[in-house]
Amino acid sequence: MISIQNVSKWYGDFQVLSDCSTEVQKGEVVVVCGPSGSGKSTLIKCVNGLEPFQAGTIVVDGTSVGSPKTDLPKLRSRVGMVFQHFELFPHLSITENLTLAQRKVLGRKDDEARRKGLALLDRVGLSAHAAKFPGQLSGGQQQRVAIARALAMDPIAMLFDEPTSALDPEMINEVLDVMVELAREGMTMMVVTHEMGFARKVANRVIFMDRGAIVEDADKDEFFGSPRSERAQAFLSKILSH
Amino acid sequence: MNYNWDWSVFFKSTGIGSEIYLDWFITGLGWTVALSLSSWVIALLLGTVLGVMRTLPGRFAARFATVYVELFRNVPLLVQLFVWYFLVPDWLPEKLELWFKQDLHPATSAFISVTVCLGLFTAARVCEQVRTGIQALPRGQAMAAYALGLRLPQVYRKVLLPQAFRIIIPPLTSEFLNVFKNSSVASLIGLMELLAQTKQTAEFTANLFEAFTLATVIYFVLNMALMLIMRGVEKRVRVPGLIALGGK
């Protein structure tokens, strides 16, 4: 479904991604972790072309992301993305947030988009808030709306960029619950997160990144049981010691 | 000060038909409003386009807008008006030049010159405000919009500009008021707007103080009214639950 081959990216002289390669199969849940500045977010943003990259190829469902011939907006409309800071559109009501892209990108009729949006809002447990504005919801609620907004486009895969990092601790679970459910339904997911509990519960594979490179790419059990690289071992021992 | 105020002057006949001096002020106000509103439409449309251009990734568009802003911001308005009124018509193709100079009513050609001049001048200022408004938004907003599959024009129209405009309503309001005040330069090329009518009244009646007092009051009330209207607009588009976009 998502194939990343030898991807490198530079900001000027500084290399942020070096020779990253991995695959995400249909229905697979892959967690990407690693220390800050290791390039996790950059890599995931390359997948839907939000960040350009200078070398290598990324192919999503048969479409090459880096090719100048690719209709990027069309590709992006098929890949859902959830951001660290939610990025709901604050000037639009929750319903409008859920329907904007359905109408403008997919060309769905008003009531069809609304029905779809409200059904997904109900699914994330927020149907009572349809008429509110993002600023009137808590962080956890906003992130659940953001997930619903992405799902409303009927994506073939979902990208999560540290979806719980900006949340108060008590709101993290309500977002993770939605993601776990999504994973169990067979959604293809690539998730940048520090939530190792989530990784243990639903991930098929874990990718560990450090200084722009993929250091470890292993099955979940292998990653948590016996990580091969020292860097991953050190990371895990620090992150799991409390 | 030893001066005999005579406010009844405004109700005296000008000697032209049945006109009184107050009629001159009303006509002048009409020109001022027409001039300012048409200039503002140009400024708002062009300024928005230029402001967007300054935030586009492409280097050419951004550079063009920057040059525009510097050009129109760094030359005095009055100089620009003289250029538009005295020089530009000479550069037009001959037919257009003759039409502008001979066929058009002098008031109409002056009106066109001032409107274009004031519109383009103010557009440079609006451009900077629009640019600031867009750049004040978190980068993630545009990213989220692109991630949903929206295309660049949609991202600006549906996501960035509605937020940017809410942020810049207060500075935009003072720009709007500036247009009304700046429109008084039109009096220097003979367009009989409010200031020109005031000067003419002063000359005809020798009641200089009354004439300029009335002009002051009219400009003041007009601008106060506009400010209150804009405040109403600001309240209307306020986003619930959001301080940054004018909510509470």
Side-chain angles (χ1 to χ4, degrees):
Chain A
M1 174 75 72
I2 301 170
S3 160
I4 301 172
Q5 295 303 329
N6 310 103
V7 167
S8 293
K9 176 181 171 70
W10 289 265
Y11 286 125
D13 285 340
F14 182 69
Q15 188 161 14
V16 278
L17 293 178
S18 43
D19 208 23
C20 296
S21 299
T22 189
E23 301 255 349
V24 181
Q25 305 300 326
K26 190 172 186 319
E28 204 175 21
V29 177
V30 174
V31 163
V32 184
C33 63
S36 303
S38 60
K40 320 176 288 279
S41 292
T42 309
L43 180 67
I44 204 173
K45 282 183 184 134
C46 286
V47 172
N48 63 352
L50 285 180
E51 291 277 1
F53 48 93
Q54 285 84 33
T57 53
I58 297 180
V59 177
V60 177
D61 195 34
T63 309
S64 170
V65 178
S67 158
K69 274 179 265 165
T70 297
D71 183 359
L72 268 183
K74 194 168 177 198
L75 176 70
R76 287 177 184 140
S77 72
R78 303 178 61 217
V79 180
M81 182 147 202
V82 175
F83 296 84
Q84 182 176 1
H85 295 287
F86 334 131
E87 306 300 352
L88 294 180
F89 306 132
H91 59 299
L92 301 178
S93 73
I94 299 304
T95 310
E96 288 164 333
N97 264 281
L98 291 165
T99 55
L100 176 69
Q102 290 191 67
R103 290 185 291 117
K104 298 292 167 192
V105 178
L106 303 180
R108 285 182 184 152
K109 294 264 179 297
D110 249 3
D111 50 334
E112 186 192 356
R114 178 177 285 265
R115 225 177 305 124
K116 176 105 192 167
L118 292 180
L120 284 160
L121 194 60
D122 188 43
R123 200 182 135 178
V124 297
L126 294 171
S127 45
H129 303 280
K132 288 189 181 166
F133 285 79
Q136 296 170 307
L137 302 187
S138 73
Q141 290 172 328
Q142 288 191 51
Q143 194 61 300
R144 279 144 71 197
V145 173
I147 295 173
R149 177 175 72 175
L151 291 176
M153 304 294 284
D154 293 319
I156 53 169
M158 287 281 287
L159 308 173
F160 293 84
D161 183 13
E162 304 209 31
T164 57
S165 299
L167 293 175
D168 286 341
E170 29 187 340
M171 292 170 184
I172 290 177
N173 279 334
E174 62 187 71
V175 172
L176 288 180
D177 287 345
V178 172
M179 290 168 61
V180 167
E181 197 185 322
L182 207 54
R184 297 211 162 123
E185 282 167 17
M187 175 62 80
T188 308
M189 292 163 68
M190 197 167 167
V191 185
V192 173
T193 185
H194 296 294
E195 297 294 333
M196 289 302 123
F198 171 80
R200 285 208 161 150
K201 209 187 248 173
V202 295
N204 300 103
R205 271 181 26 245
V206 180
I207 291 174
F208 178 77
M209 290 183 72
D210 189 30
R211 280 182 242 165
I214 294 181
V215 179
E216 186 124 3
D217 183 348
D219 281 344
K220 171 185 61 179
D221 296 329
E222 192 187 329
F223 181 78
F224 286 111
S226 52
R228 272 166 296 175
S229 67
E230 268 176 46
R231 192 64 191 85
Q233 285 167 13
F235 179 79
L236 276 179
S237 70
K238 270 183 207 147
I239 210 169
L240 298 177
S241 62
H242 293 290
Chain B
M1 191 174 84
N2 204 358
Y3 183 77
N4 285 325
W5 293 89
D6 178 15
W7 296 107
S8 67
V9 61
F10 299 122
F11 300 99
K12 287 179 183 157
S13 167
T14 59
I16 304 165
S18 57
E19 258 182 354
I20 57 173
Y21 286 108
L22 189 61
D23 291 330
W24 286 6
F25 282 83
I26 293 169
T27 313
L29 179 62
W31 277 109
T32 293
V33 170
L35 201 56
S36 308
L37 289 183
S38 11
S39 305
W40 183 243
V41 170
I42 295 176
L44 206 54
L45 292 178
L46 182 61
T48 304
V49 172
L50 289 166
V52 166
M53 279 166 72
R54 288 204 73 171
T55 64
L56 289 179
R59 208 163 282 169
F60 178 76
R63 194 155 298 167
F64 175 85
T66 309
V67 169
Y68 180 95
V69 169
E70 296 311 337
L71 184 63
F72 282 84
R73 204 165 53 165
N74 294 330
V75 178
L77 177 60
L78 203 47
V79 174
Q80 293 189 28
L81 178 60
F82 288 163
V83 169
W84 283 109
Y85 187 64
F86 294 116
L87 302 186
V88 172
D90 286 355
W91 302 333
L92 294 172
E94 203 176 353
K95 266 192 176 165
L96 214 55
E97 182 188 342
L98 283 177
W99 171 78
F100 189 83
K101 287 181 173 172
Q102 295 177 357
D103 296 354
L104 281 184
H105 190 279
T108 312
S109 55
F111 182 87
I112 294 173
S113 293
V114 184
T115 304
V116 169
C117 169
L118 197 52
L120 298 194
F121 172 81
T122 311
R125 309 172 57 94
V126 171
C127 161
E128 285 306 275
Q129 291 169 1
V130 170
R131 174 180 70 91
T132 328
I134 293 172
Q135 287 175 345
L137 302 173
R139 242 187 107 227
Q141 283 289 303
M143 276 212 173
Y146 284 120
L148 283 164
L150 294 169
R151 286 165 199 276
L152 187 134
Q154 296 172 319
V155 172
Y156 275 92
R157 261 207 333 268
K158 298 290 170 187
V159 177
L160 300 182
L161 286 176
Q163 297 186 58
F165 272 114
R166 281 176 170 87
I167 296 175
I168 62 171
I169 286 178
L172 220 46
T173 301
S174 52
E175 219 46 68
F176 188 37
L177 302 193
N178 277 343
V179 171
F180 279 82
K181 289 176 276 185
N182 287 339
S183 70
S184 58
V185 295
S187 64
L188 290 165
I189 57 166
L191 185 62
M192 294 308 283
E193 46 66 79
L194 187 51
L195 179 59
Q197 300 281 9
T198 308
K199 284 196 288 192
Q200 185 172 263
T201 304
E203 280 159 20
F204 272 57
T205 63
N207 291 85
L208 185 109
F209 287 100
E210 289 84 349
F212 277 93
T213 306
L214 180 61
T216 305
V217 169
I218 294 177
Y219 275 119
F220 181 81
V221 170
L222 178 65
N223 279 306
M224 272 311 264
L226 291 170
M227 201 197 64
L228 291 175
I229 290 172
M230 288 305 286
R231 220 176 257 177
V233 169
E234 200 178 344
K235 224 175 233 173
R236 249 193 113 123
V237 299
R238 190 174 275 177
V239 174
L242 215 79
I243 297 157
L245 295 187
K248 55 172 178 185

